[in-house]
Amino acid sequence: MLILDKIRRHVNNTPDALVMISAGQSMTYAELWEKSGRLAAEIEKIQGSDKAPVMVFGHKDPLMLISFIACARSGRAYCPVDISTPVQRVSDIAETIDKPLVLAVEQGHCLEGKAKIIERDEINQLICDANLEIAEDLEVSDEDTYYIIFTSGSTGKPKGVEISCGALSRFTDWSAGLGGSEEDKQGARFLNQAPFSFDLSVMDVYTALATGGCIFCLDKKLQLSMADMLAELGKSKVKYWISTPSFADMCLADRSFDEHLIPELENFLFCGEKLTNRTAEKLMERFPKAKVINTYGPTESTVAVTDVEITKEM
């Protein structure tokens, strides 16, 4: 089943379930689908026969997720660019895409004159317009590009890696079984640590969407304060922890980071960096009931392709 069909299934079955929590904001599956549909219709109206990728600039706002799904429902790939991206790099990405349509969820993109820009206020107006509707047959399909994430590239210039709708859908077929069954993940909360412009975030965002889970975001501001971040984690009810190993190391530096802080936590899923035996051992000591799972794969193969549960013997 393609990823949009998986999301549509949860919209129909559990419309009032939370799909995202970020910086005090929350959104349900029904809200995600309604608002992304209206934004998709506007994208189609603006772009017409132009199916070029759309840049989505911002951070971990629900409007980012709405924009991603809107692009896919309008039949276009999206390219996420985080606010932490250097100005020159943002400009280079826009140049590579060739004057893209930009959904600017946040300010600071510095793309005036280099792109067609829909600013945040206008996006908010559009997603409230009940007259905007999008046809289902416009959606991205199997071989269509679903998203483009730019890596640094060996030359230092941005290199856009294109991932098809089919590849993402097959990735979520696999990731839905990581650390437990697909049914086990419905309604569960997934930690989002990485920015949406880093492919690690695809693991938490789309595994949650594919299984009816909820994405719990730690935004950039929150990650600057260990005390505030740990307090937020203590309220998170996260069941699936998805991060880089180095982020877990940072949290382990505080003695309060243990199973008493997050009693619902059952799985650590790592990708993006080397997981050391020291880090795995500490996590097993602090969270004796949780599985520690290491995954690996290059961006080009859709985030990850292999996994192993770490044992004490290993």
Side-chain angles (χ1 to χ4, degrees):
M1 186 185 294
L2 295 179
I3 184 63
L4 288 177
D5 293 324
K6 293 177 183 181
I7 299 170
R8 187 182 284 107
R9 177 183 60 186
H10 299 303
V11 171
N12 292 333
N13 293 340
T14 55
D16 297 326
L18 289 178
V19 68
M20 184 176 183
I21 299 170
S22 182
Q25 302 179 78
S26 62
M27 178 170 63
T28 66
Y29 273 87
E31 289 171 329
L32 171 63
W33 200 251
E34 290 169 8
K35 292 176 179 180
S36 66
R38 293 166 185 167
L39 184 55
E42 183 64 20
I43 293 171
E44 176 66 17
K45 187 167 73 173
I46 293 171
Q47 296 296 84
S49 61
D50 182 359
K51 294 294 182 179
V54 176
M55 181 189 288
V56 183
F57 180 88
H59 192 47
K60 299 189 179 185
D61 193 288
L63 278 180
M64 289 287 282
L65 188 58
I66 289 168
S67 297
F68 297 164
I69 304 304
C71 291
R73 292 180 68 185
S74 77
R76 294 164 178 82
Y78 70 86
C79 173
V81 179
D82 191 73
I83 56 173
S84 61
T85 307
V87 170
Q88 184 57 53
R89 184 169 170 80
V90 175
S91 181
D92 288 344
I93 291 172
E95 186 177 318
T96 302
I97 299 176
D98 191 17
K99 293 189 176 180
L101 174 67
V102 177
L103 300 176
V105 174
E106 304 285 352
Q107 295 181 333
H109 47 77
C110 301
L111 291 173
E112 285 77 6
K114 299 179 181 179
K116 291 183 285 185
I117 302 169
I118 303 179
E119 301 284 0
R120 181 186 181 91
D121 289 346
E122 188 177 353
I123 295 172
N124 274 320
Q125 288 176 356
L126 294 171
I127 62 176
C128 293
D129 188 345
N131 295 318
L132 293 174
E133 295 183 2
I134 190 71
E136 193 173 317
D137 60 4
L138 290 174
E139 295 176 357
V140 291
S141 192
D142 197 27
E143 296 306 315
D144 297 330
T145 302
Y146 191 95
Y147 68 79
I148 302 171
I149 283 184
F150 277 79
T151 66
S152 60
S154 57
T155 64
K157 283 288 185 181
K159 180 184 72 173
V161 176
E162 300 179 62
I163 299 298
S164 71
C165 179
L168 176 61
S169 302
R170 288 185 286 277
F171 168 75
T172 58
D173 288 343
W174 172 74
S175 67
L178 289 173
S181 67
E182 182 173 341
E183 291 73 23
D184 183 55
K185 293 177 175 63
Q186 185 161 354
R189 294 192 179 178
F190 291 72
L191 182 74
N192 163 255
Q193 169 249 327
F196 294 149
S197 55
F198 181 24
D199 73 331
L200 172 59
S201 68
V202 174
M203 183 178 287
D204 48 78
V205 169
Y206 282 99
T207 305
L209 289 173
T211 59
C214 175
I215 308 150
F216 187 91
C217 299
L218 295 179
D219 64 23
K220 184 180 178 181
K221 181 180 178 182
L222 195 61
Q223 292 185 40
L224 292 174
S225 168
M226 178 62 74
D228 291 345
M229 186 174 70
L230 289 175
E232 199 67 18
L233 285 171
K235 299 181 290 184
S236 70
K237 298 182 180 179
V238 161
K239 186 174 183 178
Y240 290 88
W241 175 288
I242 300 171
S243 79
T244 56
S246 59
F247 182 76
D249 281 332
M250 184 177 73
C251 294
L252 284 165
D254 193 297
R255 289 300 308 174
S256 69
F257 181 66
D258 61 17
E259 65 176 353
H260 301 293
L261 180 71
I262 319 173
E264 297 85 359
L265 208 163
E266 295 182 4
N267 295 273
F268 287 95
L269 297 172
F270 293 112
C271 198
E273 298 168 350
K274 180 190 292 185
L275 173 63
T276 66
N277 57 355
R278 179 184 174 90
T279 299
E281 190 173 32
K282 282 186 176 181
L283 289 171
M284 289 177 176
E285 290 171 358
R286 301 272 192 96
F287 297 86
K289 298 174 186 175
K291 297 176 183 177
V292 177
I293 298 170
N294 197 29
T295 71
Y296 170 79
T299 302
E300 290 82 354
S301 65
T302 318
V303 189
V305 294
T306 187
D307 70 286
V308 62
E309 181 179 345
I310 310 300
T311 63
K312 288 184 179 179
E313 293 75 21
M314 192 183 297

